[in-house]
Amino acid sequence: MDKLTALIGAVVIAGGGVATWQFISAEDSAEDTAMGHSMTPPDTSSIEAGDPIVQVQLPAEFSEQATIGKTIFEAKCSECHGANAAGQNGIAPPLVHKIYEPSHHSDMAFVLAAQNGVRAHHWKFGNMPKIEGLTQGDVKMVAAYVRELQRANGIN
């Protein structure tokens, strides 16, 4: 077997492992706690259906990337995740939440979620479908927007 074939085989096997982990592993609160962190979503029972789940403080200004990301977010993501990524009760979670801090959900997690969809694992809103018409670059701009919103709200 030549080196190129071995390299391709290793990439395919690694990719299969990552894909399997992404789609098969479902985390619940008990598993999160057992893993050393608590990412329990808040109780939303007192919030009306469709209302924002969190209150979002906006930064004084956005970077150029985040401004582009905001435009993309408003076109492709806000229908579910709400204005300024505050979530909508019963529909989709807020992305301005500790659960989505960079150390728990990297920017690549946003890319994979948009490209492939994602199984519900922290919130009980159901699975997220893949989002058509977004490039990796688009989602990275959205991630820049979300990260700046998070930092303005004390999530680093």
Side-chain angles (χ1 to χ4, degrees):
M1 172 166 35
D2 64 21
K3 290 180 182 180
L4 179 58
T5 303
L7 177 62
I8 291 171
V11 169
V12 168
I13 289 169
V18 169
T20 300
W21 174 78
Q22 174 74 19
F23 291 106
I24 304 256
S25 71
E27 301 169 34
D28 62 22
S29 297
E31 289 170 335
D32 284 344
T33 302
M35 292 171 55
H37 58 271
S38 176
M39 294 289 171
T40 304
D43 177 13
T44 60
S45 61
S46 64
I47 301 171
E48 292 292 324
D51 281 356
I53 296 171
V54 298
Q55 298 301 312
V56 177
Q57 294 291 102
L58 299 177
E61 62 183 353
F62 288 106
S63 68
E64 185 177 335
Q65 283 187 323
T67 300
I68 295 167
K70 181 179 191 295
T71 301
I72 297 166
F73 181 90
E74 289 171 348
K76 293 288 194 171
C77 311
S78 66
E79 182 178 340
C80 295
H81 288 287
N84 300 310
Q88 294 189 84
N89 195 32
I91 299 169
L95 300 177
V96 180
H97 191 277
K98 181 176 175 52
I99 287 175
Y100 299 101
E101 68 186 355
S103 65
H104 189 66
H105 284 89
S106 69
D107 291 358
M108 186 51 84
F110 286 92
V111 171
L112 291 172
Q115 286 181 339
N116 304 318
V118 66
R119 285 180 45 177
H121 56 283
H122 290 295
W123 304 82
K124 305 293 184 200
F125 299 134
N127 298 336
M128 178 181 146
K130 71 179 183 174
I131 308 301
E132 299 292 340
L134 290 177
T135 66
Q136 266 196 16
D138 292 336
V139 181
K140 288 178 181 178
M141 297 289 182
V142 170
Y145 167 64
V146 170
R147 297 303 185 206
E148 289 185 24
L149 286 172
Q150 289 174 338
R151 283 191 294 276
N153 288 273
I155 301 167
N156 295 309

